[in-house]
Amino acid sequence: MTRDRLYLYDTTLRDGQQTQGVQFSTQDKLRIAAMLDDLGVDYIEGGWPGANPTDSAFFEAVPETRATMAAFGMTKRAGRSAANDDVLAGVMNAGTAAVCLVGKTHDFHVTEALGISLEENLENIRASIAHLVEAGREALFDAEHFFDGYKANPDYALAAIHAAHDAGARWIVLCDTNGGTLPDEIGHITRAVIASGVAGDRLGIHTHNDTETAVAGSLAAIDAGARHIQGTLNGLGERCGNANLTTLIATLLLKDPYCSQYEIGVSEAGLKNLTRASRLLDEILNRVPQRQAPYVGSSAFAHKAGLHASAILKNPTTYEHIQPELVGNARVIPMSNQAGQSNLRRRLSEAGIMVDDGDPALGQILEEIKAREAAGYSYDTAQASFELLARRALGQMPRFFEVKRYRVTVERRKNKYDKMVSLSEAVVVVKIGDQKMLSVSESMDETGSDRGPVNALSKALAKDLGPYQSYIDTIRLVDFKVRITQGGTEAVTRVIIDSEDDTGRRWSTVGVSANIVDASFEALLDAVHWKLIQDGAPAS
């Protein structure tokens, strides 16, 4: 059976830039564009040339891509021709093969926001799209506020998109700009648009996630006949975000009826890079990846409950809707106070720790995990600390060095500019074999800024570990999370540290104490010990 083609249009470089806390550099946009092209989307919208220096610089340096590169702009303004509109000219001058122009389709916005007549707006749409077509560009019309406009005045909303359609637009993109239209309404209205004379193979959908239904709304539009889908990687976008193209890609390729009825530009190989692409975007933006993101999140295939893990060991389909490897993800059996021996054996095996069935140490490890979690520890994410706990219980923990003592002081003083500043100093004494070694470090960084007592401790610990120094030189702390697990005078602090080395390997460790410095140092020690074990460092 011949499958219909669906076209994916990515707006991460424009809509994603409207996300609170996100600011792209030109180099960021070039890296993301290359990643999107490798993934296999059909269109990459680079931004709005002329709207800001970053977008303008991007279009000056835009690379050759397999995907069609698109520039975004708006229809011409009233009172001037399309050929003499400087804003439209700026978009045209970007030189992209495709141009997407936004125009009003809700009568309220035409009269209130633009302050022009309804007929003038229709002429602006028609003339702008015709201008693109005459210049040989692939024209897309972004029908802003279409669904709200259709519900308020269906005749005018349809007239607006037909003005673009009749002028030669390749795609009419129906936008749920406010994100409040539910999937059933989107499906119903999309069918009405097709019935009005705009064929589905010229119709697109652009949804926002203000009701957490952007992906469902996009699928409803496809069910109704639309063949062009817009969205952003990881669902970036203004307010609550846009339709998550990461989720849509996996759903379209793996879920019926979509995988059997439609084809998209993303291949099986591209699908296997989906998790990597999602996490690389977060890395570029310095954002913490969403653990529970569908398909690609680190918890998407995590099985914590003992009952679930036992079933997973027998057949993964009992609690997994797809194989995680299909999207480049992996199954995780975390350790927690809900764990059973099935979880434990599986996790130990994955860590390369072999234990005979029925070994009484298994029960001891479980009891210790439960007792420690009751005291505030968490091994859901701190897998490296769990492995060390298990090795100690099994007598498989190498002895590398011993911390004899450590001290941290915090001083407030005036600097040479007569400003009060803080400075921390840490002293760590370790014993390696028969030799004691003392290291001292301050918390001041190369810019003269104080990085705090934990930073001073980390630097002191890693300053001189004798024969182990070459193993730890590449460790860097990439995340530091603190949580108070009890209140009042019995408050307990839990610290989770994420570390990474020069190979890109990342691991998490946990420490718990009433004192945040003690908790942090415990997690730091675990991070160093785990690294030494993984790299095969010899015991002292």
Side-chain angles (χ1 to χ4, degrees), residues 209-242:
N209 205 35
D210 297 74
T211 58
E212 197 68 47
T213 57
V215 168
S218 299
L219 295 175
I222 294 171
D223 293 340
R227 296 294 177 259
H228 172 107
I229 305 95
Q230 297 195 354
T232 60
L233 207 61
N234 291 352
L236 292 180
E238 192 174 26
R239 303 188 312 274
C240 304
N242 286 47

Side-chain angles (χ1 to χ4, degrees), residues 422-433:
S422 295
L423 179 67
S424 300
E425 182 182 79
V427 177
V428 177
V429 178
V430 300
K431 185 178 181 181
I432 303 175

Side-chain angles (χ1 to χ4, degrees), residues 132-299:
L132 298 182
V133 174
E134 289 168 7
R137 307 296 176 85
E138 181 177 347
L140 296 91
F141 178 62
D142 186 44
E144 190 180 33
H145 295 286
F146 178 78
F147 291 97
D148 290 334
Y150 183 91
K151 286 182 277 188
N153 186 341
D155 291 339
Y156 186 76
L158 290 172
I161 63 172
H162 276 277
H165 176 271
D166 296 345
R170 170 64 183 91
W171 294 106
I172 305 296
V173 184
L174 308 181
C175 292
D176 183 31
T177 310
N178 287 350
T181 309
L182 297 178
D184 186 63
E185 292 179 289
I186 289 175
H188 170 74
I189 294 173
T190 301
R191 291 184 184 90
V193 170
I194 293 174
S196 76
V198 179
D201 60 6
R202 292 182 64 180
L203 200 59
I205 182 67
H206 181 117
T207 57
H208 286 250
N209 205 35
D210 297 74
T211 58
E212 197 68 47
T213 57
V215 168
S218 299
L219 295 175
I222 294 171
D223 293 340
R227 296 294 177 259
H228 172 107
I229 305 95
Q230 297 195 354
T232 60
L233 207 61
N234 291 352
L236 292 180
E238 192 174 26
R239 303 188 312 274
C240 304
N242 286 47
N244 191 335
L245 209 56
T246 310
T247 302
L248 279 166
I249 286 170
T251 299
L252 293 173
L253 282 174
L254 298 173
K255 296 294 183 179
D256 272 324
Y258 305 104
C259 63
S260 58
Q261 293 184 15
Y262 306 105
E263 62 179 357
I264 60 176
V266 179
S267 64
E268 287 186 12
L271 182 64
K272 289 180 179 179
N273 282 325
L274 192 64
T275 297
R276 178 180 175 275
S278 171
R279 295 178 185 177
L280 179 57
L281 177 64
D282 283 325
E283 181 179 321
I284 291 171
L285 299 179
N286 197 26
R287 289 161 56 98
V288 178
Q290 184 183 350
R291 290 186 178 276
Q292 293 178 310
Y295 296 105
V296 299
S298 60
S299 296

Side-chain angles (χ1 to χ4, degrees), residues 313-517:
L313 288 172
K314 298 172 183 174
N315 189 331
T317 61
T318 51
Y319 287 97
E320 290 178 352
H321 66 113
I322 66 162
Q323 298 174 33
E325 296 82 7
L326 294 174
V327 292
N329 209 340
R331 183 176 301 116
V332 176
I333 309 293
M335 294 311 303
S336 74
N337 61 12
Q338 295 187 38
Q341 290 201 10
S342 297
N343 295 51
L344 183 56
R345 288 196 305 272
R346 174 65 173 266
R347 187 65 190 93
L348 291 173
S349 175
E350 290 175 350
I353 302 172
M354 307 313 297
V355 183
D356 294 334
D357 288 347
D359 191 318
L362 292 173
Q364 295 170 14
I365 293 170
L366 284 176
E367 288 305 313
E368 184 169 356
I369 288 172
K370 293 175 181 180
R372 289 170 73 87
E373 290 208 337
Y377 287 83
S378 174
Y379 294 101
D380 275 358
T381 55
Q383 297 292 322
S385 286
F386 155 70
E387 291 177 23
L388 297 179
L389 180 154
R391 287 183 180 277
R392 293 184 183 105
L394 293 166
Q396 298 181 18
M397 183 67 190
R399 182 183 178 89
F400 300 113
F401 61 89
E402 179 186 1
V403 176
K404 302 300 291 184
R405 63 182 175 88
Y406 69 88
R407 180 180 73 244
V408 181
T409 60
V410 180
E411 181 183 4
R412 286 284 287 171
R413 68 186 184 197
K414 285 191 175 183
N415 63 12
K416 63 181 179 180
Y417 303 108
D418 201 36
K419 291 184 177 180
M420 292 298 296
V421 296
S422 295
L423 179 67
S424 300
E425 182 182 79
V427 177
V428 177
V429 178
V430 300
K431 185 178 181 181
I432 303 175
D434 295 328
Q435 184 181 9
K436 282 187 179 181
M437 308 179 75
L438 181 149
S439 296
V440 181
S441 186
E442 291 184 342
S443 59
M444 200 75 72
D445 65 14
E446 60 277 4
T447 68
S449 300
D450 175 55
R451 306 299 294 177
V454 175
N455 176 266
L457 261 179
S458 177
K459 288 165 63 178
L461 176 64
K463 197 168 188 177
D464 186 4
L465 275 183
Y468 302 115
Q469 193 60 36
S470 62
Y471 292 95
I472 68 169
D473 276 340
T474 63
I475 298 177
R476 66 186 184 95
L477 190 152
V478 294
D479 200 6
F480 179 85
K481 297 180 282 289
V482 177
R483 183 170 183 180
I484 306 301
T485 62
Q486 299 177 32
T489 57
E490 298 180 351
V492 173
T493 302
R494 178 168 67 225
V495 170
I496 294 180
I497 288 177
D498 291 344
S499 303
E500 190 174 67
D501 62 17
D502 58 345
T503 68
R505 181 172 52 188
R506 183 174 291 200
W507 62 100
S508 299
T509 51
V510 61
V512 170
S513 172
N515 185 305
I516 187 173
V517 175

